[in-house]
Amino acid sequence: MKKTCIKNGIFITSDTSNPVIRGYMVIEGNRITSIHEGSPAESEIFDEYIDGTNKLYMPGLVNTHGHAAMSLLRGYGDDMALQIWLEQKMWPMEAKFTTQDVKWGTLLSILEMLKGGTTTFVDMYDHMNEVAQAVEQSGMRACLTRGVIGLCPPDVQVAKLNEATEFAKNWHGKADGRITTMMSPHAPYTCPPDYIEKIVQVAHDLNLPIHTHMSETSREVQANVDQYGLRPVAHLEKIGVFSRPTLVAHGVHLTDEEIEVLKRYDVRISHNPGSNLKLASGVARVPELLRAGVKVSLGTDGAASNNNLDMFEEMRLAALIHKGVSGDPVAVPATEALLMGTKWGAESIWLDNVGQLAPGMKADFIALDIDQPHFLPKTDFISHAIYSASAKDVVDVCVDGKWVVRGGQCLTLDEEKIKFEFEQCFDRLTQS
Ligand SMILES: CSC[C@H]1O[C@@H](n2cnc3c(O)ncnc32)[C@H](O)[C@@H]1O
Ligand SMILES: [Zn+2]
């Protein structure tokens, strides 16, 4: 097994008593085996040495909610509220998407994410075989799910659920274990309760988690009360969703009691601050969720509501907006924003061996070029990673022990071809 030593680097580790180490990290196969201060002993032999001078190494970022192919809709339907944006802009355009559109839209997003330091992402969309193949080819890690919208005739509902089931069955554990799957009713307002119950039953049968949008806007909460007499949390609890491990996207509008229910069921929240701000959905009660012990991670959502897939931006937003709305400067400290973008992200999708630089963890890590003005002085690198860094600083990316980005270039995908094919898809979509 190949043994690599990255020396002379600065490493953000998960050792809370000594989180920033100036020294070296050893990788054997697809695992991190050790991280130490200083230099390796001369007696220690490695197959390969990598010079980490002027590089900050940290865990790869984990994006826990998105719709990758929506890169095709970036900048289409800006400055609108969620429901109108979905009904008048997104859904009519998405109805025209072919498998080729999803393929090239997803590949463009994977390029953007990988080059920006995201090593794992969650994707809820349609034409998911194309998405899974793109993930496999790119070397990235992903948790994938065919999102189902149940506002359709019964035979179409059945066809969608069958497709989602087959996809989840066929791809779980594939691509050397880099792909896992979930089952996804899109949202309580797009899936009738009996349909959600059927999706939950499949999740039980396949032993898979559930991923859904929930309580994103106050309008959604009120509509749920009007239609079902219950707020979304009680509604989903009643129809058994939380009987499965669940990852909820957004969870913006929650009461104290609802936060307690989510904690009781160990429901995980993917906080999407950029998307929530852009769609004017509100600001999630992240400090209260964290205080209650709910696991919170970060997502970008699709590029049509963000409008980029830069997880550094989400970490920074998460650290800043909750200070702003609460008046409490430690509402979300930098250390917690970093955990949300890494370790807690991995744990939110039930991956316990990525998201941290520590012995035994999978070698999913990134390097930032810190020989730049905005990384001086060389004092607190956790602070710099959250408050100063951006996707543009990422130079190297390793997933599962394999380099996928080196010197800012993606090694696994043909960037020029992807950009060309993406623009062809965009032109066809907008001309038809
Ligand atoms: C059924 S595939 C996923 C579906 O979700 C839509 N979508 C994108 N962003 C959001 C959001 O913030 N809330 C709810 N739904 C969203 C996307 O357009 C696809 O149709
Ligand atoms: Zn979404």
Side-chain angles (χ1 to χ4, degrees):
M1 196 183 293
K2 188 172 170 191
K3 198 170 171 187
T4 301
C5 173
I6 302 178
K7 55 182 189 166
N8 306 321
I10 299 175
F11 300 88
I12 297 183
T13 75
S14 53
D15 178 354
T16 45
S17 62
N18 186 22
V20 180
I21 290 186
R22 289 165 162 80
Y24 66 101
M25 178 165 80
V26 180
I27 297 127
E28 292 181 51
N30 68 348
R31 300 264 173 190
I32 297 167
T33 50
S34 63
I35 308 172
H36 296 287
E37 303 273 1
S39 303
E42 283 188 10
S43 56
E44 230 184 316
I45 307 296
F46 299 97
D47 300 306
E48 180 189 31
Y49 289 91
I50 290 170
D51 184 17
T53 303
N54 280 325
K55 287 184 179 173
L56 175 66
Y57 290 87
M58 56 186 283
L61 305 174
V62 181
N63 182 349
T64 59
H65 180 69
H67 316 278
M70 291 184 85
S71 54
L72 281 161
L73 303 176
R74 192 192 324 261
Y76 176 75
D78 283 346
D79 309 329
M80 301 177 83
L82 175 72
Q83 208 59 35
I84 298 170
W85 175 81
L86 280 175
E87 288 170 12
Q88 295 180 9
K89 292 285 179 176
M90 299 302 119
W91 289 340
M93 281 298 278
E94 287 175 326
K96 298 201 262 174
F97 277 21
T98 63
T99 51
Q100 286 299 297
D101 296 327
V102 170
K103 171 180 174 171
W104 295 109
T106 299
L107 280 165
L108 191 89
S109 288
I110 288 179
L111 255 183
E112 182 184 350
M113 286 192 273
L114 273 182
K115 290 180 79 180
T118 296
T119 50
T120 301
F121 74 110
V122 170
D123 201 55
M124 179 209 285
Y125 216 61
D126 195 357
H127 304 286
M128 291 305 290
N129 287 323
E130 302 301 321
V131 177
Q133 281 161 23
V135 170
E136 189 165 39
Q137 184 191 351
S138 69
M140 207 171 177
R141 200 180 292 286
C143 186
L144 306 176
T145 173
R146 199 287 195 209
V148 288
I149 292 180
L151 305 173
C152 48
D155 57 323
V156 183
Q157 280 190 353
V158 169
K160 284 183 178 182
L161 181 51
N162 286 343
E163 192 185 305
T165 307
E166 285 309 303
F167 173 78
K169 243 196 257 180
N170 292 342
W171 282 96
H172 191 68
K174 292 286 160 56
D176 298 325
R178 286 183 286 106
I179 293 178
T180 54
T181 59
M182 302 188 280
M183 294 298 295
S184 282
H186 165 264
Y189 58 90
T190 53
C191 292
D194 63 329
Y195 193 43
I196 296 182
E197 281 168 348
K198 290 189 182 119
I199 300 168
V200 172
Q201 185 57 50
V202 174
H204 269 290
D205 297 344
L206 300 182
N207 193 25
L208 291 175
I210 301 269
H211 182 38
T212 191
H213 296 91
M214 188 197 76
S215 302
E216 184 173 356
T217 64
S218 53
R219 174 183 161 159
E220 172 198 333
V221 174
Q222 189 54 52
N224 212 94
V225 172
D226 295 343
Q227 193 170 2
Y228 302 114
L230 292 170
R231 291 170 61 92
V233 173
H235 176 66
L236 293 187
E237 180 187 21
K238 184 178 166 199
I239 57 183
V241 170
F242 304 146
S243 66
R244 294 301 310 156
T246 302
L247 171 66
V248 157
H250 305 298
V252 175
H253 297 275
L254 299 172
T255 63
D256 290 347
E257 293 69 32
E258 287 174 316
I259 289 174
E260 280 312 309
V261 172
L262 296 177
K263 167 66 190 156
R264 183 148 38 84
Y265 287 99
D266 196 17
V267 171
R268 287 107 206 260
I269 299 287
S270 175
H271 175 39
N272 292 212
S275 173
N276 295 158
L277 289 172
K278 183 159 186 264
L279 295 170
S281 302
V283 176
R285 300 180 66 204
V286 169
E288 290 87 345
L289 284 161
L290 292 175
R291 234 180 287 135
V294 175
K295 184 137 293 167
V296 182
S297 58
L298 293 172
T300 55
D301 218 344
S305 60
N306 190 299
N307 285 7
N308 63 44
L309 307 177
D310 180 352
M311 281 290 290
F312 283 96
E313 217 171 78
E314 299 306 314
M315 292 194 291
R316 185 163 190 262
L317 274 176
L320 295 184
I321 58 173
H322 302 291
K323 299 183 198 339
V325 294
S326 66
D328 176 4
V330 292
V332 175
T335 46
E336 291 187 3
L338 179 64
L339 286 166
M340 283 195 247
T342 56
K343 180 174 185 275
W344 295 346
E347 290 168 354
S348 293
I349 49 174
W350 301 275
L351 297 179
D352 54 8
N353 51 16
V354 297
Q356 302 174 63
L357 296 193
M361 288 284 144
K362 292 260 175 80
D364 285 19
F365 63 88
I366 63 177
L368 277 56
D369 169 15
I370 51 170
D371 188 19
Q372 304 189 72
H374 59 283
F375 285 111
L376 293 178
K378 290 181 179 163
T379 47
D380 182 344
F381 280 103
I382 292 181
S383 166
H384 293 353
I386 297 305
Y387 296 119
S388 312
S390 79
K392 294 189 185 79
D393 300 319
V394 175
V395 282
D396 302 325
V397 178
C398 182
V399 182
D400 210 31
K402 295 196 177 81
W403 293 107
V404 289
V405 174
R406 244 7 233 287
Q409 297 297 314
C410 186
L411 306 180
T412 50
L413 300 174
D414 181 343
E415 175 160 351
E416 292 313 311
K417 164 106 176 137
I418 291 169
K419 288 192 289 198
F420 175 80
E421 296 291 350
F422 175 92
E423 296 219 271
Q424 298 283 108
C425 289
F426 178 78
D427 289 346
R428 195 195 49 75
L429 276 169
T430 48
Q431 281 156 19
S432 61

Short mmCIF file of all heavy atoms in Angstrom, two decimals, residues 67 70 82 85-86 90-91 94 124-126 147-149 186 189 213 216 250 275 279 301 305, ligand 1:
data_model
loop_
_atom_site.label_atom_id
_atom_site.label_comp_id
_atom_site.label_asym_id
_atom_site.label_seq_id
_atom_site.Cartn_x
_atom_site.Cartn_y
_atom_site.Cartn_z
N HIS A 67 -28.94 20.62 -5.53
CA HIS A 67 -29.54 20.10 -6.76
C HIS A 67 -28.55 20.48 -7.86
O HIS A 67 -28.66 21.57 -8.45
CB HIS A 67 -30.90 20.74 -7.00
CG HIS A 67 -31.76 20.83 -5.76
ND1 HIS A 67 -32.51 19.77 -5.31
CD2 HIS A 67 -31.96 21.83 -4.86
CE1 HIS A 67 -33.15 20.11 -4.20
NE2 HIS A 67 -32.82 21.37 -3.89
N MET A 70 -29.03 22.16 -11.33
CA MET A 70 -29.62 23.51 -11.38
C MET A 70 -28.59 24.59 -11.71
O MET A 70 -28.95 25.76 -11.85
CB MET A 70 -30.36 23.83 -10.07
CG MET A 70 -31.61 23.00 -9.90
SD MET A 70 -32.57 23.41 -8.44
CE MET A 70 -33.56 24.78 -9.05
N LEU A 82 -39.67 31.86 -2.70
CA LEU A 82 -39.59 30.43 -3.04
C LEU A 82 -40.74 29.92 -3.92
O LEU A 82 -40.50 29.36 -4.99
CB LEU A 82 -39.51 29.59 -1.76
CG LEU A 82 -39.56 28.08 -2.00
CD1 LEU A 82 -38.27 27.57 -2.62
CD2 LEU A 82 -39.85 27.32 -0.72
N TRP A 85 -40.96 31.42 -7.36
CA TRP A 85 -39.72 31.02 -8.04
C TRP A 85 -39.83 29.57 -8.54
O TRP A 85 -39.52 29.28 -9.69
CB TRP A 85 -38.58 31.21 -7.03
CG TRP A 85 -37.21 30.76 -7.40
CD1 TRP A 85 -36.31 31.43 -8.16
CD2 TRP A 85 -36.56 29.56 -6.95
NE1 TRP A 85 -35.13 30.73 -8.23
CE2 TRP A 85 -35.26 29.57 -7.49
CE3 TRP A 85 -36.94 28.49 -6.14
CZ2 TRP A 85 -34.34 28.55 -7.26
CZ3 TRP A 85 -36.03 27.47 -5.91
CH2 TRP A 85 -34.75 27.52 -6.46
N LEU A 86 -40.32 28.67 -7.66
CA LEU A 86 -40.47 27.27 -8.06
C LEU A 86 -41.52 27.13 -9.16
O LEU A 86 -41.26 26.54 -10.21
CB LEU A 86 -40.91 26.41 -6.86
CG LEU A 86 -39.85 25.96 -5.85
CD1 LEU A 86 -40.52 25.22 -4.69
CD2 LEU A 86 -38.79 25.08 -6.48
N MET A 90 -38.59 27.71 -11.94
CA MET A 90 -37.81 26.46 -11.91
C MET A 90 -38.54 25.30 -12.56
O MET A 90 -38.02 24.64 -13.46
CB MET A 90 -37.43 26.09 -10.46
CG MET A 90 -36.58 27.13 -9.76
SD MET A 90 -35.05 27.47 -10.66
CE MET A 90 -35.22 29.18 -11.04
N TRP A 91 -39.76 25.02 -12.08
CA TRP A 91 -40.44 23.80 -12.56
C TRP A 91 -40.72 23.84 -14.06
O TRP A 91 -40.49 22.82 -14.74
CB TRP A 91 -41.71 23.53 -11.73
CG TRP A 91 -41.38 23.07 -10.32
CD1 TRP A 91 -40.20 22.52 -9.90
CD2 TRP A 91 -42.23 23.12 -9.17
NE1 TRP A 91 -40.25 22.24 -8.55
CE2 TRP A 91 -41.49 22.58 -8.09
CE3 TRP A 91 -43.53 23.55 -8.93
CZ2 TRP A 91 -42.02 22.47 -6.80
CZ3 TRP A 91 -44.08 23.44 -7.65
CH2 TRP A 91 -43.31 22.91 -6.60
N GLU A 94 -37.33 23.07 -15.60
CA GLU A 94 -36.88 21.70 -15.30
C GLU A 94 -37.67 20.65 -16.08
O GLU A 94 -37.14 19.58 -16.41
CB GLU A 94 -36.99 21.43 -13.79
CG GLU A 94 -35.93 22.16 -12.99
CD GLU A 94 -36.10 21.99 -11.49
OE1 GLU A 94 -37.25 21.91 -11.01
OE2 GLU A 94 -35.07 21.93 -10.79
N MET A 124 -30.30 15.92 -4.54
CA MET A 124 -31.68 15.47 -4.70
C MET A 124 -32.16 15.98 -6.04
O MET A 124 -32.31 17.18 -6.24
CB MET A 124 -32.56 16.05 -3.58
CG MET A 124 -34.03 15.64 -3.68
SD MET A 124 -35.18 16.85 -2.99
CE MET A 124 -34.99 16.62 -1.26
N TYR A 125 -32.39 15.05 -6.98
CA TYR A 125 -32.85 15.52 -8.29
C TYR A 125 -33.50 14.39 -9.07
O TYR A 125 -33.85 13.33 -8.52
CB TYR A 125 -31.67 16.13 -9.08
CG TYR A 125 -32.10 17.32 -9.90
CD1 TYR A 125 -32.64 18.44 -9.29
CD2 TYR A 125 -32.00 17.32 -11.29
CE1 TYR A 125 -33.05 19.53 -10.04
CE2 TYR A 125 -32.41 18.41 -12.05
CZ TYR A 125 -32.94 19.51 -11.41
OH TYR A 125 -33.36 20.59 -12.15
N ASP A 126 -33.67 14.63 -10.38
CA ASP A 126 -34.25 13.66 -11.30
C ASP A 126 -33.12 13.19 -12.23
O ASP A 126 -32.06 13.80 -12.24
CB ASP A 126 -35.34 14.40 -12.09
CG ASP A 126 -36.26 13.46 -12.82
OD1 ASP A 126 -36.05 12.25 -12.78
OD2 ASP A 126 -37.22 13.96 -13.47
N GLY A 147 -35.37 12.84 -5.97
CA GLY A 147 -36.43 13.57 -5.29
C GLY A 147 -37.76 13.32 -6.00
O GLY A 147 -37.82 13.38 -7.22
N VAL A 148 -38.81 13.04 -5.20
CA VAL A 148 -40.10 12.81 -5.86
C VAL A 148 -41.12 13.85 -5.43
O VAL A 148 -41.28 14.17 -4.26
CB VAL A 148 -40.65 11.37 -5.64
CG1 VAL A 148 -39.85 10.36 -6.43
CG2 VAL A 148 -40.68 10.98 -4.19
N ILE A 149 -41.77 14.40 -6.46
CA ILE A 149 -42.87 15.33 -6.26
C ILE A 149 -44.14 14.58 -6.61
O ILE A 149 -44.25 14.01 -7.70
CB ILE A 149 -42.66 16.58 -7.15
CG1 ILE A 149 -41.44 17.38 -6.66
CG2 ILE A 149 -43.93 17.44 -7.18
CD1 ILE A 149 -41.11 18.63 -7.44
N HIS A 186 -40.04 15.18 -1.91
CA HIS A 186 -39.46 16.53 -2.06
C HIS A 186 -39.80 17.43 -0.88
O HIS A 186 -38.93 18.12 -0.34
CB HIS A 186 -39.94 17.13 -3.38
CG HIS A 186 -39.73 18.60 -3.51
ND1 HIS A 186 -40.72 19.52 -3.22
CD2 HIS A 186 -38.64 19.33 -3.88
CE1 HIS A 186 -40.24 20.74 -3.42
NE2 HIS A 186 -39.00 20.65 -3.82
N TYR A 189 -45.38 19.83 1.14
CA TYR A 189 -46.37 20.54 0.31
C TYR A 189 -46.40 20.05 -1.14
O TYR A 189 -47.24 20.51 -1.92
CB TYR A 189 -46.12 22.07 0.36
CG TYR A 189 -44.74 22.51 -0.10
CD1 TYR A 189 -44.49 22.83 -1.43
CD2 TYR A 189 -43.69 22.63 0.81
CE1 TYR A 189 -43.22 23.23 -1.84
CE2 TYR A 189 -42.43 23.03 0.41
CZ TYR A 189 -42.20 23.33 -0.92
OH TYR A 189 -40.95 23.72 -1.32
N HIS A 213 -37.20 18.53 2.00
CA HIS A 213 -37.28 19.95 2.35
C HIS A 213 -38.38 20.09 3.41
O HIS A 213 -39.41 19.43 3.31
CB HIS A 213 -37.71 20.79 1.15
CG HIS A 213 -36.75 20.79 0.00
ND1 HIS A 213 -36.81 19.89 -1.02
CD2 HIS A 213 -35.72 21.64 -0.30
CE1 HIS A 213 -35.86 20.17 -1.92
NE2 HIS A 213 -35.18 21.22 -1.50
N GLU A 216 -39.40 25.60 5.22
CA GLU A 216 -38.46 26.55 4.61
C GLU A 216 -38.97 27.98 4.69
O GLU A 216 -38.18 28.91 4.87
CB GLU A 216 -38.21 26.11 3.16
CG GLU A 216 -37.18 26.92 2.40
CD GLU A 216 -36.88 26.32 1.02
OE1 GLU A 216 -37.42 25.24 0.69
OE2 GLU A 216 -36.10 26.96 0.28
N HIS A 250 -33.25 22.92 5.29
CA HIS A 250 -33.77 24.23 5.70
C HIS A 250 -34.22 24.29 7.16
O HIS A 250 -33.49 24.80 7.98
CB HIS A 250 -34.86 24.74 4.75
CG HIS A 250 -34.39 24.77 3.32
ND1 HIS A 250 -33.34 25.56 2.92
CD2 HIS A 250 -34.78 24.08 2.21
CE1 HIS A 250 -33.11 25.37 1.62
NE2 HIS A 250 -33.96 24.47 1.17
N SER A 275 -29.04 30.36 0.36
CA SER A 275 -30.32 30.16 -0.33
C SER A 275 -31.47 30.79 0.46
O SER A 275 -32.35 31.43 -0.11
CB SER A 275 -30.55 28.66 -0.53
OG SER A 275 -31.83 28.41 -1.04
N LEU A 279 -33.78 33.72 -1.24
CA LEU A 279 -35.22 33.52 -1.48
C LEU A 279 -36.06 34.20 -0.41
O LEU A 279 -37.29 34.00 -0.36
CB LEU A 279 -35.54 32.01 -1.52
CG LEU A 279 -34.92 31.21 -2.68
CD1 LEU A 279 -35.11 29.71 -2.45
CD2 LEU A 279 -35.52 31.62 -4.01
N ASP A 301 -27.76 24.44 -1.42
CA ASP A 301 -28.95 24.35 -2.27
C ASP A 301 -28.49 24.48 -3.72
O ASP A 301 -27.28 24.47 -3.99
CB ASP A 301 -29.97 25.43 -1.89
CG ASP A 301 -31.41 24.91 -1.98
OD1 ASP A 301 -31.63 23.86 -2.61
OD2 ASP A 301 -32.31 25.56 -1.41
N SER A 305 -30.46 29.36 -6.55
CA SER A 305 -30.89 30.11 -5.35
C SER A 305 -29.70 30.47 -4.48
O SER A 305 -29.86 30.64 -3.27
CB SER A 305 -31.92 29.29 -4.55
OG SER A 305 -31.36 28.07 -4.11
C1 LIG B 1 -37.67 16.78 -7.12
S1 LIG B 1 -36.06 17.23 -7.48
C2 LIG B 1 -35.72 18.62 -6.47
C3 LIG B 1 -36.61 19.80 -6.71
O1 LIG B 1 -36.35 20.72 -5.68
C4 LIG B 1 -36.49 22.00 -6.22
N1 LIG B 1 -35.85 22.98 -5.34
C5 LIG B 1 -34.69 23.63 -5.51
N2 LIG B 1 -34.45 24.43 -4.49
C6 LIG B 1 -35.49 24.29 -3.65
C7 LIG B 1 -35.81 24.85 -2.41
O2 LIG B 1 -35.06 25.76 -1.83
N3 LIG B 1 -36.96 24.48 -1.82
C8 LIG B 1 -37.76 23.59 -2.39
N4 LIG B 1 -37.51 23.01 -3.58
C9 LIG B 1 -36.38 23.36 -4.19
C10 LIG B 1 -35.90 21.91 -7.59
O3 LIG B 1 -36.30 22.98 -8.39
C11 LIG B 1 -36.40 20.54 -8.01
O4 LIG B 1 -37.61 20.67 -8.67
#
